[in-house]
Amino acid sequence: MSRSLSMRSSMSMRSRRDLPPPQQTIEKLENMVAEGNYYEAQQMYKSTGARYIAAQKYLEALDILQSGALVQLKHGQVTCGGELAIMFVDTLVKAALPYNEETFDRIRKMYDAFPRISVPHFLGDDYDDDGQKLSEAISAAKVRSESCSSFLRAAIRWSAEVGASRNGSPELHVMLAEYIYSESPETDMTKVSSHFVRGNDPKKFASMLANFMGKCYPGEDDTAIARGVLMYLSQGNLKDANLLMDELKDQLKSADLEIPKTDLIQFIKYLLPTLERDAYPLFRTLRQKYKTSTDRDPVFEELLDEIAAKFYGIRSQSPLEGLFGDMFRI
């Protein structure tokens, strides 16, 4: 038994000695990518990174994986770059490294390297009659969006595990919300809003809502605003719920626009001051009076149940946790 352990220890030490200097590996693989050998370089990035990780040389592995992600993304290899970016996060987990400004900056650099290419909203002369090029553009956008989103979700989970915040890094949530909104060909406003409310930038959230109001279908604008406010409130965050409304109002005013005047928005305007005081009977009356408006989105009732629990300690007898839980899943 002792001989077996001795042999494994000896092999591990030899493996560490056999590893080349990371900068040498980085330069070699960058040249391979520059020459267009994307697949071969990718396999070497993954296998070399795994060898450094197995030898517990985590910092060197992180350097190689970050370099690989950046150079692959620079050459438009989104899937390859995304894989290496996720391996980078997996290595942070294995190394049990803390969330700090330096690590966030490294994640941010990889995030910034993901391509931003808007999917055209109309067919111009460059598109053939059957829309093949548009279809290809949408497919490519889906790949980009899913690759970057998977990377950021992994980073958020890691940041939550190492104590950045119970919900994960607020900065990473904002980055993910921005990317989903700007790059996904099929924008899921519920998902976008759920990440913004776990972030730390309600002003940026307001800017996104103002932008959305300029291109959404009729009736979607007040729903998106109400959803954002109710999501903040379901987290017990009255301050940012008010800030979102105030900031949105100011931004729309500067563009000679205004918040929609609908029953749903009127409900939100009454709800916010109600939650500032111990007024559960009034809260319940508002829910009953504006039920037709809040029934427009199935998730609103669940959010309002959670708001009642957060602000008044009133738990629903039979809470429907499915939609609410799905909204805030990373």
Side-chain angles (χ1 to χ4, degrees):
M1 185 69 172
S2 61
R3 182 180 178 186
S4 175
L5 287 171
S6 177
M7 288 178 64
R8 282 202 295 268
S9 177
S10 176
M11 289 174 65
S12 175
M13 291 178 63
R14 193 181 309 121
S15 174
R16 291 190 183 207
R17 287 198 302 268
D18 290 345
L19 290 172
Q23 191 56 39
Q24 178 181 323
T25 301
I26 288 170
E27 291 173 2
K28 175 184 175 181
L29 295 180
E30 284 183 349
N31 288 334
M32 286 184 68
V33 173
E35 292 168 1
N37 299 316
Y38 307 122
Y39 178 78
E40 294 86 347
Q42 183 72 359
Q43 300 314 305
M44 290 192 67
Y45 274 121
K46 291 163 74 172
S47 62
T48 305
R51 288 176 62 199
Y52 277 92
I53 292 167
Q56 297 185 354
K57 302 188 78 167
Y58 298 118
L59 298 182
E60 292 86 345
L62 290 171
D63 289 342
I64 291 169
L65 293 170
Q66 180 184 8
S67 171
L70 292 173
V71 73
Q72 290 281 32
L73 290 169
K74 177 183 176 182
H75 285 81
Q77 303 303 302
V78 176
T79 301
C80 290
E83 285 181 355
L84 296 176
I86 290 174
M87 278 189 71
F88 179 94
V89 176
D90 290 343
T91 307
L92 292 175
V93 174
K94 288 184 175 73
L97 291 175
Y99 178 87
N100 54 33
E101 188 173 342
E102 178 186 355
T103 310
F104 171 74
D105 286 343
R106 297 183 75 168
I107 292 171
R108 177 101 206 186
K109 281 183 181 178
M110 287 182 279
Y111 164 75
D112 288 339
F114 276 86
R116 269 85 168 160
I117 307 172
S118 298
V119 176
H121 298 289
F122 61 90
L123 294 178
D125 294 337
D126 291 337
Y127 290 88
D128 48 26
D129 293 337
D130 65 2
Q132 181 179 346
K133 289 187 177 180
L134 180 61
S135 177
E136 291 172 355
I138 291 174
S139 295
K142 287 181 178 178
V143 170
R144 289 194 305 272
S145 177
E146 184 53 40
S147 184
C148 186
S149 296
S150 296
F151 160 54
L152 287 178
R153 284 196 299 268
I156 289 170
R157 287 193 295 270
W158 160 75
S159 69
E161 289 172 7
V162 296
S165 171
R166 181 175 61 86
N167 291 320
S169 161
E171 294 84 1
L172 293 176
H173 276 294
V174 171
M175 285 160 56
L176 181 51
E178 286 182 299
Y179 199 87
I180 294 172
Y181 179 72
S182 64
E183 299 302 318
S184 175
E186 299 172 353
T187 302
D188 183 339
M189 288 302 294
T190 298
K191 190 177 295 183
V192 169
S193 298
S194 76
H195 286 293
F196 264 122
V197 300
R198 285 174 287 177
N200 56 0
D201 199 337
K203 290 186 177 181
K204 192 168 284 186
F205 189 6
S207 297
M208 184 277 297
L209 285 173
N211 179 273
F212 178 72
M213 288 173 63
K215 60 185 182 183
C216 67
Y217 291 109
E220 289 185 336
D221 47 4
D222 63 341
T223 303
I225 295 168
R227 186 187 297 115
V229 171
L230 293 177
M231 281 185 174
Y232 270 130
L233 295 174
S234 74
Q235 303 294 293
N237 190 348
L238 181 59
K239 176 185 175 182
D240 283 344
N242 276 301
L243 183 56
L244 178 66
M245 287 295 287
D246 292 342
E247 185 65 26
L248 180 60
K249 181 180 177 181
D250 290 344
Q251 291 192 25
L252 291 174
K253 184 178 180 181
S254 66
D256 293 326
L257 299 170
E258 60 182 4
I259 292 175
K261 296 177 179 178
T262 66
D263 286 346
L264 183 57
I265 294 300
Q266 195 62 48
F267 168 68
I268 293 297
K269 288 182 176 179
Y270 285 141
L271 178 63
L272 288 170
T274 299
L275 295 176
E276 292 179 358
R277 53 200 179 98
D278 187 8
Y280 178 69
L282 178 55
F283 172 82
R284 187 174 56 197
T285 299
L286 285 173
R287 287 190 68 170
Q288 292 169 348
K289 181 177 179 180
Y290 288 95
K291 191 174 188 310
T292 302
S293 297
T294 58
D295 279 348
R296 285 169 49 188
D297 189 325
V299 81
F300 284 177
E301 283 303 302
E302 288 191 45
L303 289 170
L304 287 165
D305 285 344
E306 192 64 22
I307 291 166
K310 281 284 194 302
F311 287 85
Y312 301 113
I314 307 296
R315 243 334 140 180
S316 172
Q317 292 296 316
S318 54
L320 301 173
E321 297 178 354
L323 289 173
F324 181 78
D326 287 344
M327 275 189 302
F328 293 102
R329 186 173 291 119
I330 296 174

